[in-house]
Amino acid sequence: MLRSLAQKHHFLSRLVPPNAGQRCQRQPLLLQRYHSTSTTTTSDDDVPFDDKPFPFSRFEPCCPDSEVAAAENGFVPCSRHPIPNVIGKKIEMHEALKKTKTGRHLVACVGLDAPDWMRSKVETVKDGMMLSLSFAQNAWIKEQRKKPSSDTTAGGGSGELFTTIIDRPSPNTEWPTSDILLFPEFRRYPAAHPDKLLDSSITPLLDVLWENPMCGILPHVENEQTLDDIDTIVLICTHTMRDKRCGVLGPLLVEEFRKVLKEQGLLKGQENGRVEVWGVSHFGGHKFAGNLIIHQKGLGGHMYGNVRQCHVPSIVDRHIINRKVIKELWRGAMTPPSVE
């Protein structure tokens, strides 16, 4: 894909469908990779925070190692859940947690062995889904700018379109073909190919999401599926090539979440399991590692920072089981409970 300038020009010239932008009002257009121009955030008053104090402060261990003095940044090792001291000493534990904006989350399921994980910026991987989405979106925006100003600035959509990859496999496909997941809808669009993003059944969906990420009515896509057998998906940043803090802590958290969920009978694959846990690419704020997103039906997607293995049982109990958000570690609402 895109192996020459001529091929690239041909690819971009056919990206914009003829009826782009007729379903929802447009937002002001500004060339950005994966974000709209909105600064909308979810009000704290709309979030069902747990009214009981969290038993830990940020990045606090459950079993402090009494033989080791606290590091300059406040890091204290845990005798039960060890992590490399060199990583712990580089975690930001005191600065205000960076909050995210609210929108929709589009996820490409590239699997664990995809070449995307070998680059610090997944949007630069040749033939990869993120690079193709970037070319497609930029071409779409340029097309909109050619239209009269009255057509390209009216109304104004709200929210962000967040785009990441996860290591969830896509059945019966080979990279770079991958399933696309969309939250908060918990929808799956199987076997999307980067070369055919805007020349296939998924084209109308991308058109609408780029025009207004918070559009209330999404077009039906052939073969789309609702993830009826999943209630919650936990996405933990494990992007080692982007930042070693999440790269080291992330896999430890993936392992701990799966362990605790399995003990509770909640992990997908068990008889009553409806929770999945996957590694996700960079979504900002590595200094606040460990970073994770919990998408849950009816609650929306919420981002947490400064999480360590010690916190996992309480997060499972409070957030996943009792559906309460933990304010002490909260980095904002990534998606609302629903979009109407």
Side-chain angles (χ1 to χ4, degrees):
M1 185 182 68
L2 308 181
R3 290 182 173 84
S4 69
L5 291 176
Q7 285 177 309
K8 177 177 177 181
H9 177 76
H10 174 71
F11 176 79
L12 296 178
S13 68
R14 60 184 176 85
L15 290 178
V16 183
N19 296 322
Q22 293 183 358
R23 281 174 286 276
C24 298
Q25 288 182 312
R26 290 185 177 87
Q27 59 195 37
L29 294 169
L30 180 65
L31 187 61
Q32 298 184 45
R33 288 278 169 152
Y34 298 114
H35 301 278
S36 75
T37 58
S38 167
T39 57
T40 301
T41 57
T42 296
S43 168
D44 289 13
D45 296 335
D46 300 328
V47 177
F49 290 114
D50 195 340
D51 57 7
K52 296 185 299 182
F54 193 58
F56 305 101
S57 60
R58 289 165 47 182
F59 218 67
E60 180 184 0
C62 62
C63 301
D65 190 335
S66 59
E67 297 182 359
V68 180
E72 187 176 342
N73 67 338
F75 167 69
V76 176
C78 179
S79 59
R80 185 177 178 185
H81 301 104
I83 61 175
N85 286 349
V86 67
I87 297 295
K89 292 176 180 179
K90 295 182 178 180
I91 302 296
E92 173 54 59
M93 303 166 54
H94 305 290
E95 183 182 321
L97 287 168
K98 181 181 179 182
K99 294 294 192 292
T100 185
K101 300 181 177 69
T102 303
R104 274 190 170 101
H105 188 191
L106 186 148
V107 177
C109 302
V110 300
L112 185 61
D113 298 322
D116 309 62
W117 300 110
M118 302 308 296
R119 299 290 292 272
S120 63
K121 295 184 178 181
V122 295
E123 65 271 22
T124 65
V125 176
K126 184 179 180 181
D127 295 342
M129 183 66 75
M130 295 298 99
L131 179 63
S132 297
L133 280 168
S134 177
F135 278 131
Q137 185 183 19
N138 289 343
W140 183 88
I141 291 174
K142 291 175 183 177
E143 260 324 286
Q144 303 310 304
R145 287 175 170 169
K146 296 177 183 178
K147 298 179 179 181
S149 58
S150 59
D151 290 339
T152 59
T153 59
S158 62
E160 299 276 349
L161 178 61
F162 302 92
T163 310
T164 60
I165 63 170
I166 63 174
D167 58 18
R168 188 183 201 257
S170 296
N172 305 315
T173 64
E174 292 185 4
W175 187 91
T177 299
S178 61
D179 294 348
I180 299 293
L181 305 183
L182 185 66
F183 299 99
E185 286 76 13
F186 275 77
R187 288 186 191 171
R188 172 177 172 257
Y189 304 92
H193 194 283
D195 278 339
K196 300 178 180 179
L197 287 177
L198 293 184
D199 190 20
S200 66
S201 60
I202 203 171
T203 302
L205 174 70
L206 295 174
D207 170 23
V208 166
L209 292 175
W210 288 333
E211 183 181 351
N212 178 1
M214 302 303 282
C215 182
I217 300 176
L218 296 178
H220 175 75
V221 175
E222 183 182 359
N223 296 326
E224 73 176 44
Q225 302 169 4
T226 301
L227 298 175
D228 294 324
D229 59 343
I230 300 171
D231 178 73
T232 304
I233 293 186
V234 182
L235 303 178
I236 301 168
C237 184
T238 56
H239 198 168
T240 305
M241 297 302 293
R242 186 63 179 257
D243 190 282
K244 290 297 188 291
R245 287 167 290 192
C246 279
V248 171
L249 289 173
L252 295 174
L253 288 171
V254 169
E255 181 181 3
E256 189 69 16
F257 264 99
R258 289 176 176 168
K259 172 178 173 288
V260 172
L261 289 165
K262 188 173 182 179
E263 292 171 349
Q264 297 277 357
L266 299 173
L267 190 64
K268 182 72 186 303
Q270 296 180 279
E271 184 177 358
N272 298 310
R274 296 177 59 85
V275 183
E276 291 187 354
V277 183
W278 301 104
V280 66
S281 60
H282 170 74
F283 54 81
H286 282 298
K287 65 182 179 180
F288 299 121
N291 288 295
L292 60 93
I293 303 160
I294 302 180
H295 287 294
Q296 189 168 40
K297 291 177 180 176
L299 190 60
H302 293 270
M303 186 186 297
Y304 289 119
N306 277 164
V307 177
R308 60 195 292 175
Q309 304 105 297
C310 311
H311 304 162
V312 172
S314 289
I315 293 174
V316 169
D317 175 56
R318 292 170 182 243
H319 190 124
I320 295 177
I321 296 177
N322 291 297
R323 308 175 74 85
K324 295 292 185 179
V325 177
I326 300 165
K327 194 167 188 177
E328 289 87 343
L329 304 177
W330 190 60
R331 288 190 53 195
M334 174 172 269
T335 66
S338 63
V339 181
E340 299 178 357

